[in-house]
Amino acid sequence: MKYTVLLPQRCNLACDYCYVGKRDATMPISIAEKAIAFAFEHTPVEEEIQIGFFGGEPLLEFPLIKTINSRIEQHPKYETHRLKLGLATNGTRLTPEMLEFFQRHRIAPSFRVTLLAGALDSKHHAWRRWCGIPFFSRSAVT
């Protein structure tokens, strides 16, 4: 069974094509905990639990991702082989620390990081914006 956790509703980009309604709001940990409990309680035991972190840009809330992951691993019904985590990101905030965290937490086969909409394609950058500045004109990602 697949579940999506919408962490922040904000993003560090303002892409022309984006369909996500952005506002300055972040899912409270109490709601995330309820979503985790719901997933464990309502997914049949023979099915895989897939939880996807989504946003805006979920990596803007990396500490929250770490906290949620900890709550998942502490859940009494947690089983590594049954859980798959995913993350949809524009890739602009990825750091070596994040990649190491994803790898350390059963990530090789089960934590998938998806770069959205051709994030590395130079033609695609014409549609991406950093606060109104075309993406391709920015010299460094911070």
Side-chain angles (χ1 to χ4, degrees):
M1 184 115 13
K2 293 182 181 183
Y3 303 92
T4 300
V5 180
L6 180 66
L7 297 179
Q9 292 184 20
R10 67 189 186 289
C11 185
N12 58 321
L13 297 180
C15 301
D16 294 338
Y17 57 80
C18 187
Y19 60 87
V20 176
K22 294 175 193 78
R23 60 190 181 107
D24 193 17
T26 300
M27 177 181 285
I29 189 63
S30 61
I31 300 298
E33 288 171 338
K34 288 178 183 179
I36 293 163
F38 183 91
F40 280 111
E41 293 300 319
H42 292 89
T43 303
V45 293
E46 67 277 0
E47 287 189 31
E48 191 174 78
I49 298 172
Q50 297 179 24
I51 299 174
F53 296 112
F54 196 69
E57 173 51 50
L59 293 181
L60 294 174
E61 293 295 335
F62 183 60
L64 181 58
I65 291 171
K66 289 168 51 173
T67 300
I68 293 169
N69 187 74
S70 176
R71 299 299 200 298
I72 289 169
E73 291 177 351
Q74 293 169 8
H75 194 279
K77 292 187 177 181
Y78 170 74
E79 298 174 274
T80 304
H81 70 278
R82 190 171 170 228
L83 185 73
K84 298 239 187 270
L85 297 178
L87 175 82
T89 179
N90 61 37
T92 61
R93 304 292 292 198
L94 275 173
T95 66
E97 174 200 359
M98 291 174 185
L99 293 172
E100 193 261 314
F101 173 83
F102 297 149
Q103 186 175 22
R104 190 173 60 241
H105 292 273
R106 83 205 158 279
I107 295 153
S110 59
F111 200 116
R112 184 181 72 240
V113 176
T114 304
L115 292 175
L116 295 175
L120 302 177
D121 180 352
S122 61
K123 291 178 186 174
H124 176 76
H125 292 330
W127 297 99
R128 301 176 92 189
R129 304 274 182 245
W130 296 90
C131 301
I133 301 166
F135 184 82
F136 60 85
S137 70
R138 188 169 167 113
S139 60
V141 176
T142 56

